[in-house]
Amino acid sequence: MEGAVGSWDCHRVLAFFWRDTFNPETISSARVLLTGASTGIGEQMAYHYSRSGAEIVLTARREAVLQKVMEKCLQLGAKKVFYILADMSSPAEPERVMQFAVQKMGGLDYLVLNHADVRPLSRCGMGMWSIPTGFCRWVFSG
């Protein structure tokens, strides 16, 4: 019991002294590619980057929803917003998406992979939290 209390005290001290050093200006004009951007966490990340004035390429599978997200991103302050329909589970799509993003924005500063589907991983014995580091390289290997 004593160890748990000591651990809790440590967390309280850290929380008290924690200083958030995030500066939104660091992502102003940043070039961001965001996958899985049509709903949920991906949609909210798009809005967050937009409020900071980023340039964004959104990708997901549903065009009507992506168009709505794109419109809201522009209203929130994104400098530029593009979208490209893509099913990232298809082996050819990552390269096509990357080429589109680089062509539209001249490069990338941030790559946000929000599209991972763990169902294929479970078929080969891997769980959601045991994804190997090479998986991300494979996703965008083209």
Side-chain angles (χ1 to χ4, degrees), residues 60-110:
R61 294 176 294 205
R62 297 176 295 161
E63 186 168 19
V65 182
L66 269 179
Q67 286 176 341
K68 289 178 183 176
V69 173
M70 182 182 79
E71 290 168 10
K72 187 167 180 180
C73 286
L74 289 169
Q75 291 171 358
L76 291 172
K79 288 195 170 57
K80 297 178 186 174
V81 183
F82 306 96
Y83 75 88
I84 180 170
L85 294 179
D87 180 351
M88 299 302 280
S89 67
S90 171
E93 293 293 85
E95 183 175 347
R96 186 176 71 87
V97 168
M98 289 293 289
Q99 287 175 353
F100 177 87
V102 170
Q103 176 194 17
K104 293 294 185 183
M105 297 187 298
L108 285 179
D109 298 307
Y110 296 94

Side-chain angles (χ1 to χ4, degrees), residues 6-129:
S7 175
W8 173 247
D9 289 339
C10 179
H11 290 113
R12 289 191 335 196
V13 169
L14 284 173
F16 179 78
F17 287 107
W18 181 264
R19 298 292 180 251
D20 185 3
T21 59
F22 174 72
N23 180 356
E25 291 179 12
T26 61
I27 56 175
S28 177
S29 299
R31 299 165 299 177
V32 180
L33 169 58
L34 177 56
T35 67
S38 60
T39 60
I41 293 171
E43 177 185 9
Q44 295 306 312
M45 285 191 290
Y47 299 154
H48 178 75
Y49 279 110
S50 296
R51 286 184 196 99
S52 298
E55 298 178 18
I56 309 168
V57 169
L58 307 169
T59 186
R61 294 176 294 205
R62 297 176 295 161
E63 186 168 19
V65 182
L66 269 179
Q67 286 176 341
K68 289 178 183 176
V69 173
M70 182 182 79
E71 290 168 10
K72 187 167 180 180
C73 286
L74 289 169
Q75 291 171 358
L76 291 172
K79 288 195 170 57
K80 297 178 186 174
V81 183
F82 306 96
Y83 75 88
I84 180 170
L85 294 179
D87 180 351
M88 299 302 280
S89 67
S90 171
E93 293 293 85
E95 183 175 347
R96 186 176 71 87
V97 168
M98 289 293 289
Q99 287 175 353
F100 177 87
V102 170
Q103 176 194 17
K104 293 294 185 183
M105 297 187 298
L108 285 179
D109 298 307
Y110 296 94
L111 172 61
V112 183
L113 301 175
N114 183 55
H115 68 276
D117 181 358
V118 296
R119 285 176 288 171
L121 295 176
S122 64
R123 281 188 232 129
C124 58
M126 291 186 278
M128 181 171 183
W129 305 116

